[in-house]
Amino acid sequence: MRRGTLVWAALLLVIACGDDDGGADSGVDSSVDAGAEDAGSDAATEDAAAEDAAADDAATDDAAAEDAATDTGLDASSDASVDAGSDAPTDTGTDATMDAAVEDDGIAEVRAAPEGSHDPPLDVRNVTVTFVRGAVDPDPAGFFVQAERTGPALFVAIDPTTLAPEPMVGDVVDFDVMETAIASDQTRVTVISGFNRDATGADVSALVQDLSAATDVATDVGNYESELVTISGTLEGFARSAGGEFLGMGFETEGVELGVVFRAEASLYVSENLRAGCMVTVTSPLWRFFSSPQAQVYTAADLTVDGACDPVSGANPPADGVLISEIFYDFDSDLLGGSDNDREWFEVWNPSETETYNLRGCEIYDAANTSVIVEDVEIAPDTYVVIGGEESETAPVTLLPLVLNNTDDTVGIRCGGVVVNEVSYDESDGWSAARSVSLQLSRGVLANDAPGSWCLTADEPETEYFAGQNGSPGLENALCPL
């Protein structure tokens, strides 16, 4: 396997489908690196009653606490009215509103009920608002409620600004659940009535569970779904699409090596210098995508960076500072099985004799989609790097699921809002049809916008970079024949 001066970029790109290329995968297999966001509801795959009520939720309920005095958080001394012989939760002394959590808070009943309309409505009471979030594509706005530290919890997928009073973290609230839905196996409350605030200022920190050493997070996500947690671990692998504006990476914790996903917006990866090897702590409600638990970061306030995330070196390239120099857009997967998109790639060349550039924080785009590079991609003078599919033997770990059109498309790089370089190929407009072979920019050519500057990679033994496929990724290009 030839690598030459090849540097493989770890990043993400979701770009439009081609003739024979499948659509971009909005989800990410949690057994690899990252997670993806909900594509929609899937009631058939979720059984809230079996997964949650029979698991940790029922275990945290205690009928003996039913007669305990309700504590609104206004006076911690009211806890003394609880029968000493009952199993009511112990008052931590931080805030009496935590003691309002009793068996009949209603959360378990909501989670156990089938999705759809509820008549009569399901009563939820004396629950604490643990987290409030706005909408970030594709996640809806909403807020999370919980009554006991070990759950259960609910995500109310209703814009908080549409409610009066507007729910705030630390509010103790009541409401009637009129409708629920299951989205990617996550229970969501979608319609409520009778929203009421009983108290404010509850100590939400008393509800936080530390799951850093938990061994069942990845195998029993239903026990923790939507609950306020803190998780410390190390980012692993490469950033991949996690739906909309989100990217996901593997997240190795003390208790779980594989299965937990770190999920955050691409802009936060860049601003916080997040990449493989970073040690971080996330504190927020545990998000869920089917069986994948996701340590979800909405803002920098949800994240603590503990180490190994020093600022990167090297400036972004200016316009024409780097050039797209080779494109492989039609891999023949019939030879090997799997997806064509996993093996498509393009090459970037730095023609400078003195300057080293870094593509971190730049955008890669095609005619339909854009993605942000979140890993260090240094390009030394007169060096080629490849941004490409995860299954290619020459680019096996870039994890960029390219979905390039097989007859025409645009590939571009944009840094700080400036288009650094862009190539639009079109087989109907003079560009050579490239089947199982790459298009190469002729060596030394600095203008790559015309088809006459490009040619097909020669069919020679030294250019067969993959079985039956010809290209020279990461290597100096050949001179195109005149």
Side-chain angles (χ1 to χ4, degrees), residues 398-409:
T398 58
L399 300 185
L400 174 62
L402 291 175
V403 189
L404 298 176
N405 193 303
N406 289 349
T407 57
D408 63 285
D409 206 341

Side-chain angles (χ1 to χ4, degrees), residues 259-272:
V260 178
V261 169
F262 174 90
R263 184 171 184 258
E265 291 182 70
S267 58
L268 191 138
Y269 277 83
V270 175
S271 65
E272 301 299 317

Side-chain angles (χ1 to χ4, degrees), residues 321-342:
V322 296
L323 299 174
I324 295 171
S325 54
E326 191 168 358
I327 307 172
F328 197 112
Y329 60 76
D330 188 10
F331 187 96
D332 184 3
S333 64
D334 292 337
L335 295 173
L336 301 167
S339 170
D340 295 350
N341 309 331
D342 291 340

